[in-house]
Amino acid sequence: MANTIKKDVIHAAGIDIGIYTTDFKNEFISLTDIARYKSIDPRITIHNWLRGRDVVEFLGLWEVLHNPNFKRIEFDAFKEDAGTNAFVFSIKDWSEKLEAIGLFTKSGRYGGGIYAHIDIAFEFASWISPEFKLYIIKDYQRLKSDENSRLSLNWNLRREITKLNYHIHTDAIKDNLIPSELTQEQISCKYATEADILNVALFGKTAKQWRDSNPEKKGNMRDEANLNQLLVLANMESYNAILIEQGREMPERLMLLRELAVGQMKTLVAVSMEGLEQLSGGNFK
């Protein structure tokens, strides 16, 4: 599992349990840390759990539901001896020969061990102790709630920045593009046209085109924008205000704004990926 980064730690009944993720959607919890709740040798405890036929069938079903590359025919042969005294579950064979993704082993003195997708980890926690599983779930929910609060705060902050720059943008339009003889309807049309220049430059479509393709949504395309898009939009509003004051014509402004949007989005994505790589600390085997 490449480019996996450490995300956070769950604190359950005095045990610190590591969580890793690649995409902030699929998270993997340390079975090694969970096993420490009742074992001085977590690896033996984990492999004893993995030897059970019902566990192997559960893992196989999970892969079938979540992994289109899972080798189901090879799995049938893999599970034949599951549950017998001779059966040994090899995570290496499970991952490499069956192309399974639900389990992996991470080497290293700190944070090393056996990791499983949260669905599988909770199943293991139930086997260790139903009570301990509840402690894990409770702190995991606390962790997700904190993350959602931080994301919401960041999104709202950037949305407010965009709104402030909106006033800069509209003032530039009012002072430079709206003759005094225009009607209120014509003025509104002018503002909408300038807003759509930004929409097209950043999102590739006008507000009306977005509404027509998303009739079920109550907000607008800017309400659906991600954090990077909101930041770029705020910069575009300031830049367009400068271009308007310089007397640049609309076709030229659209081209310059598009260049700005593409360049800044690439930079933000590159910075995000660089940050992930710095946090990753290397690849996991």
Side-chain angles (χ1 to χ4, degrees), residues 5-10 17-21 23-28 118 139-156 227:
I5 66 167
K6 186 170 184 178
K7 187 176 182 183
D8 219 314
V9 175
I10 294 173
I17 303 170
I19 303 177
Y20 284 77
T21 181
D23 55 11
F24 293 93
K25 295 179 181 178
N26 294 299
E27 295 180 320
F28 295 80
I118 57 172
D139 203 64
Y140 180 76
Q141 291 172 336
R142 186 272 313 163
L143 174 66
K144 301 309 292 183
S145 177
D146 289 348
E147 288 176 354
N148 290 335
S149 295
R150 289 195 296 271
L151 287 174
S152 178
L153 179 62
N154 287 336
W155 190 92
N156 286 329
L227 294 178

Side-chain angles (χ1 to χ4, degrees), residues 232-243:
V232 173
L233 181 59
N235 294 337
M236 289 173 64
E237 287 175 328
S238 296
Y239 186 44
N240 194 38
I242 293 172
L243 295 177

Side-chain angles (χ1 to χ4, degrees), residues 77-277:
F78 183 92
K79 71 176 182 180
E80 281 186 1
D81 294 329
T84 67
N85 292 334
F87 178 70
V88 176
F89 189 104
S90 168
I91 295 179
K92 185 175 185 294
D93 289 346
W94 179 254
S95 300
E96 295 181 1
K97 294 183 179 180
L98 278 67
E99 297 188 18
I101 60 174
L103 294 167
F104 72 90
T105 300
K106 176 188 177 299
S107 59
R109 182 176 179 182
Y110 301 103
I114 299 172
Y115 286 78
H117 188 276
I118 57 172
D119 299 339
I120 299 170
F122 289 156
E123 189 75 9
F124 176 65
S126 289
W127 184 77
I128 291 291
S129 165
E131 178 184 0
F132 187 48
K133 175 188 176 181
L134 292 177
Y135 282 115
I136 294 174
I137 291 176
K138 181 178 180 180
D139 203 64
Y140 180 76
Q141 291 172 336
R142 186 272 313 163
L143 174 66
K144 301 309 292 183
S145 177
D146 289 348
E147 288 176 354
N148 290 335
S149 295
R150 289 195 296 271
L151 287 174
S152 178
L153 179 62
N154 287 336
W155 190 92
N156 286 329
L157 176 60
R158 295 195 183 186
R159 193 71 171 98
E160 288 305 314
I161 291 174
T162 303
K163 289 178 180 178
L164 290 174
N165 279 350
Y166 169 79
H167 291 292
I168 297 174
H169 187 228
T170 54
D171 284 348
I173 296 170
K174 180 179 64 176
D175 295 340
N176 296 276
L177 298 179
I178 300 180
S180 57
E181 65 272 12
L182 290 185
T183 66
Q184 188 60 47
E185 183 179 354
Q186 290 171 325
I187 292 173
S188 298
C189 182
K190 192 66 177 178
Y191 281 126
T193 300
E194 288 297 325
D196 267 340
I197 291 178
L198 303 182
N199 292 334
V200 171
L202 180 59
F203 303 108
K205 60 181 66 177
T206 65
K208 183 179 185 305
Q209 288 171 334
W210 185 89
R211 287 194 301 272
D212 290 343
S213 59
N214 297 275
E216 75 286 354
K217 295 184 178 179
K218 297 181 179 179
N220 56 52
M221 69 171 74
R222 299 187 183 196
D223 293 326
E224 299 291 327
N226 60 37
L227 294 178
N228 286 349
Q229 289 171 327
L230 287 176
L231 181 58
V232 173
L233 181 59
N235 294 337
M236 289 173 64
E237 287 175 328
S238 296
Y239 186 44
N240 194 38
I242 293 172
L243 295 177
I244 290 172
E245 291 171 355
Q246 291 176 348
R248 304 291 186 96
E249 296 296 328
M250 183 182 296
E252 182 184 9
R253 286 191 284 112
L254 178 58
M255 181 184 67
L256 292 172
L257 288 166
R258 179 61 181 171
E259 290 176 355
L260 175 73
V262 171
Q264 292 198 353
M265 286 299 294
K266 286 182 178 178
T267 299
L268 290 172
V269 170
V271 169
S272 298
M273 291 306 298
E274 180 182 351
L276 294 182
E277 290 170 1

Side-chain angles (χ1 to χ4, degrees), residues 12 15-18 29-50 112-115 121 123-129 132-133 136:
I15 304 292
D16 290 343
I17 303 170
I29 296 179
S30 172
L31 299 188
T32 302
D33 290 341
I34 294 175
R36 288 195 177 100
Y37 181 68
K38 282 192 174 181
S39 175
I40 59 174
D41 194 336
R43 182 169 290 270
I44 291 178
T45 299
I46 294 168
H47 281 280
N48 283 340
W49 178 67
L50 291 172
I114 299 172
Y115 286 78
E123 189 75 9
F124 176 65
S126 289
W127 184 77
I128 291 291
S129 165
F132 187 48
K133 175 188 176 181
I136 294 174

